[in-house]
Amino acid sequence: GNSVTQMEGPVTLSEEAFLTINCTYTATGYPSLFWYVQYPGEGLQLLLKATKADDKGSNKGFEATYRKETTSFHLEKGSVQVSDSAVYFCALLTGGFKTIFGAGTRLFVKA
Amino acid sequence: DVKVTQSSRYLVKRTGEKVFLECVQDMDHENMFWYRQDPGLGLRLIYFSYDVKMKEKGDIPEGYSVSREKKERFSLILESASTNQTSMYLCASRGGRRGPSNQPQHFGDGTRLSIL
């Protein structure tokens, strides 16, 4: 079946450090891939998405590239800020209704 | 801008009570979802609806029911609340018809429900 695996957290970084959060997936067909972010006390919000192989999604300095050959969609940011502290969810959507979410990775950024 | 509104941020109820959680979206979306979020378990889908009066079970429907009488409103009902239903409940909506879609979900801010 379809599934998403993302690296366990928490991830703790200093401000201005480079961020990578790994995400790999298993899916039939050609899924769309998403990263969502959840700030403390809030619901999830879309961070970026990619809908086909080799697409790069980007937003707020974050990037992720849809790699079909490695079934991956790793999230990266060149220089994190304290305000990026949150939980990040990788997700996929194939034909149908259900979005499959990863378990989430908590990021702490220290000043 | 897209808006999904959940009626309560915090709710405290007693065991055995019938509990209603309400969700309203203003985007004319066909699809609406209820999840619960628990530490270490991520998001788990309870029920979803792809049209008015239509509903389908998600991964953990036991102990819950839903109602979708109008397109913009999706209610989650705990028939007889139990302590193991203490959790964060998230409502979401998504545009696009049934079938292939690349539309993201839009989430409310969640309802933290405690059952005593």
Side-chain angles (χ1 to χ4, degrees):
Chain A
N2 300 326
S3 65
V4 174
T5 303
Q6 58 182 108
M7 62 189 288
E8 285 191 33
V11 174
T12 302
L13 296 173
S14 297
E15 209 165 23
E16 299 184 4
F18 185 86
L19 169 70
T20 300
I21 300 178
N22 290 337
C23 171
T24 57
Y25 68 89
T26 301
T28 54
Y30 303 94
S32 294
L33 301 174
F34 306 86
W35 277 101
Y36 289 84
V37 59
Q38 184 178 32
Y39 298 104
E42 298 182 10
L44 282 69
Q45 56 185 271
L46 178 69
L47 182 59
L48 53 84
K49 74 175 187 180
T51 58
K52 60 183 189 296
D54 300 324
D55 266 2
K56 177 186 283 188
S58 61
N59 186 25
K60 300 181 182 179
F62 291 89
E63 293 182 341
T65 301
Y66 188 161
R67 301 284 189 201
K68 191 164 171 51
E69 63 276 11
T70 55
T71 62
S72 65
F73 192 54
H74 305 320
L75 182 68
E76 297 182 335
K77 186 175 186 183
S79 176
V80 293
Q81 306 301 310
V82 172
S83 57
D84 294 325
S85 298
V87 182
Y88 292 83
F89 293 88
C90 185
L92 70 84
L93 178 64
T94 62
F97 291 101
K98 291 172 64 173
T99 300
I100 309 299
F101 290 89
T105 302
R106 184 175 295 275
L107 170 66
F108 292 106
V109 180
K110 302 179 298 184
Chain B
D1 204 9
V2 163
K3 190 73 174 172
V4 177
T5 303
Q6 296 185 229
S7 54
S8 304
R9 292 298 302 271
Y10 301 94
L11 206 54
V12 180
K13 295 292 183 181
R14 298 206 172 274
T15 304
E17 280 193 69
K18 190 168 187 175
V19 180
F20 294 85
L21 302 183
E22 306 289 345
C23 176
V24 177
Q25 51 98 358
D26 65 358
M27 296 156 285
D28 202 37
H29 282 169
E30 289 84 0
N31 310 295
M32 296 188 74
F33 307 82
W34 275 106
Y35 296 89
R36 62 178 284 177
Q37 183 178 22
D38 300 287
L41 297 177
L43 273 73
R44 293 182 290 169
L45 182 64
I46 304 171
Y47 267 97
F48 63 100
S49 169
Y50 54 89
D51 204 347
V52 176
K53 296 193 185 297
M54 305 303 290
K55 61 184 179 184
E56 288 201 20
K57 294 179 180 179
D59 300 318
I60 52 163
E62 295 78 20
Y64 303 94
S65 62
V66 290
S67 173
R68 185 128 181 241
E69 295 298 316
K70 294 185 177 181
K71 190 175 187 180
E72 67 270 19
R73 186 179 297 270
F74 191 37
S75 303
L76 179 70
I77 303 155
L78 284 65
E79 297 290 345
S80 177
S82 64
T83 55
N84 62 11
Q85 293 178 308
T86 292
S87 186
M88 169 71 89
Y89 289 87
L90 292 169
C91 175
S93 72
R94 178 166 64 82
R97 289 280 176 200
R98 187 177 192 143
S101 170
N102 61 14
Q103 297 300 308
Q105 294 195 353
H106 301 271
F107 285 83
D109 284 337
T111 296
R112 188 165 293 281
L113 175 64
S114 296
I115 307 296
L116 305 180

